[in-house]
Amino acid sequence: MDNFYFYIFAIIAIVVAFLIVKKVASCLIKSIVMLAIVALLAYVWYVYFR
């Protein structure tokens, strides 16, 4: 019966780790996209309005 509880714990740990990585990666991707947009706007402003 100990192995059964270990497997349940391992499955729960994998699911929780997946959800945490998904949230962090989502936030990281949003940050990278925002930085790219800011860089693009800065480039356009520099080229056309300097």
Side-chain angles (χ1 to χ4, degrees):
M1 211 54 178
D2 280 343
N3 286 342
F4 180 72
Y5 291 123
F6 174 75
Y7 288 128
I8 289 178
F9 177 74
I11 290 171
I12 291 172
I14 290 170
V15 169
V16 169
F18 175 75
L19 292 175
I20 290 172
V21 168
K22 183 178 172 185
K23 291 284 186 186
V24 170
S26 170
C27 182
L28 185 62
I29 291 170
K30 288 178 188 175
S31 298
I32 291 172
V33 169
M34 285 301 294
L35 285 173
I37 291 172
V38 168
L40 179 65
L41 290 174
Y43 173 76
V44 169
W45 179 82
Y46 180 75
V47 168
Y48 291 106
F49 299 112
R50 61 181 167 142

